[in-house]
Amino acid sequence: MRPLFAIALALALPIAANAADDIDFNRDIKPLLSSNCFKCHGPDEHERKADLRLDTFDGATADLDGSHAIVPGDLNASELLHRITSSDPDEVMPPPKSSPALKPEQAELFRRWIESGAKYERHWSFI
């Protein structure tokens, strides 16, 4: 039985390691959006800038004059990624006057999340 256990364990390890690397919207992405983006691109329609709403999937993927903040699975077409990694002070998000720039590891989380499909999830208590 030990050889079977070893084979089962060897097969399960890559699955467990891959699961640990997954980006979780509620754990990894929503806090970043909330602290850096929602003030200007959140649910408050009176404070919303550029008609961009990032707190919902429909808002984040909406066509805004030919561009999309997020195109699930397409890094090049996702304006959000271009903005958070830009070095141009007129384009970078969040704007330098409102918030510090995202750290490289935070931008990398967004990159991986968009690349993996940019799945929005409901709060855990509603799942």
Side-chain angles (χ1 to χ4, degrees):
M1 278 212 196
R2 284 191 176 171
L4 283 175
F5 177 77
I7 291 170
L9 182 60
L11 291 174
L13 283 176
I15 294 168
N18 195 17
D21 290 338
D22 287 346
I23 303 295
D24 180 87
F25 176 77
N26 286 320
R27 180 193 66 219
D28 302 315
I29 302 301
K30 191 172 184 178
L32 293 175
L33 288 171
S34 181
S35 61
N36 295 287
C37 308
F38 286 174
K39 181 178 179 187
C40 298
H41 303 295
D44 187 343
E45 66 185 60
H46 300 293
E47 295 295 322
R48 196 172 307 134
K49 309 286 187 235
D51 292 326
L52 174 59
R53 188 168 181 180
L54 293 174
D55 64 311
T56 67
F57 179 82
D58 289 341
T61 58
D63 184 338
L64 299 173
D65 296 325
S67 68
H68 300 79
I70 297 171
V71 178
D74 190 342
L75 298 173
N76 291 327
S78 296
E79 186 66 22
L80 179 130
L81 192 62
H82 296 295
R83 294 296 187 110
I84 66 173
T85 58
S86 177
S87 59
D88 182 340
D90 294 329
E91 287 194 7
V92 70
M93 289 291 154
K97 65 182 180 200
S98 70
S99 247
L102 292 174
K103 296 175 184 172
E105 59 269 18
Q106 294 170 320
E108 176 63 13
L109 282 172
F110 276 111
R111 187 196 65 74
R112 289 176 43 212
W113 175 65
I114 292 169
E115 190 173 54
S116 70
K119 182 179 176 188
Y120 274 68
E121 297 169 346
R122 295 174 59 196
H123 189 272
W124 64 265
S125 65
F126 296 114
I127 298 174

